[in-house]
Amino acid sequence: EILQNYNAKVTFFITGRWAEKNPDLLKQISENGHQIGNHGYFHSHPDKLPVEKTKEEILATEKVIKSITGISTVFYAPPYGERGPNGLKAASDLGYTTVLWTLDTIDWRSDSTPEIIAQRVLEPKKKYGADKKGAIVLMHPKENTVKALPYILSRLQDEGFQAVTLEKLIT
């Protein structure tokens, strides 16, 4: 609802396990025009898995997401931001583009208040200037993130920025 209120379209990286437990919500996310990305099945550490096991996780997630939404994913965000050779090879072999973030809200930490989360998004923008093409902001479905989101989106819109899907940002 918050994203709709600000006409924001974003990319959600989904684990297969979450998709199976929340099919109606996944379908709603997709139907609302947001992009769905692949985040592996169990949120395992791809750097610690053999290439074939990571491929299995990516493909299992793809199968679940496609069965629910009818859409294939093209982006893979490796859990924990791990970018070792095994995870990268697995994604590449399957035709995925591996994606990481450029701004981390660190919203999963217990000391991440809504104000701190907002600051972690808005302050770097000031530091790097408005001439930047954009940023990939990492957020998680946490209570304080939801509280911070309206302020973040409002401020960004006031300053001429728009929240868009990853596909729109990089193409």
Side-chain angles (χ1 to χ4, degrees):
E1 290 172 1
I2 294 168
L3 295 171
Q4 283 180 296
N5 290 341
Y6 290 90
N7 196 28
K9 302 296 181 195
V10 301
T11 302
F12 288 85
F13 283 94
I14 305 294
T15 64
R17 184 177 55 186
W18 185 92
E20 284 185 336
K21 291 179 182 176
N22 301 280
D24 292 338
L25 186 53
L26 178 62
K27 195 170 198 166
Q28 181 183 358
I29 289 168
S30 179
E31 288 172 353
N32 285 345
H34 301 292
Q35 185 174 20
I36 308 295
N38 193 314
H39 199 42
Y41 192 85
F42 291 110
H43 205 272
S44 303
H45 285 274
D47 284 358
K48 297 178 182 177
L49 296 176
V51 172
E52 291 305 314
K53 182 63 179 162
T54 299
K55 283 183 182 181
E56 288 174 18
E57 285 216 24
I58 293 170
L59 289 172
T61 301
E62 172 70 22
K63 183 178 178 182
V64 173
I65 290 171
K66 188 165 186 174
S67 73
I68 294 167
T69 67
I71 296 170
S72 296
T73 56
V74 295
F75 294 113
Y76 170 67
Y80 310 101
E82 293 182 358
R83 52 193 182 282
N86 284 3
L88 294 176
K89 179 169 177 30
S92 176
D93 286 356
L94 295 173
Y96 278 82
T97 299
T98 299
V99 178
L100 297 174
W101 58 89
T102 57
L103 288 178
D104 189 352
T105 60
I106 317 171
D107 55 0
W108 50 267
R109 282 194 347 203
S110 61
D111 65 343
S112 292
T113 65
E115 295 77 19
I116 289 173
I117 293 167
Q119 181 181 13
R120 289 179 181 143
V121 175
L122 299 169
E123 290 303 314
K125 180 193 60 60
K126 289 180 185 173
K127 180 177 174 184
Y128 299 116
D131 61 331
K132 294 293 261 185
K133 299 249 183 215
I136 300 170
V137 180
L138 175 62
M139 294 180 161
H140 296 87
K142 302 290 184 181
E143 183 179 346
N144 282 339
T145 305
V146 173
K147 290 178 182 177
L149 199 53
Y151 179 70
I152 292 168
L153 292 171
S154 176
R155 283 277 309 277
L156 290 174
Q157 281 186 354
D158 288 349
E159 297 174 22
F161 291 91
Q162 180 184 7
V164 298
T165 63
L166 183 58
E167 185 172 48
K168 186 169 181 178
L169 178 67
I170 67 172
T171 56

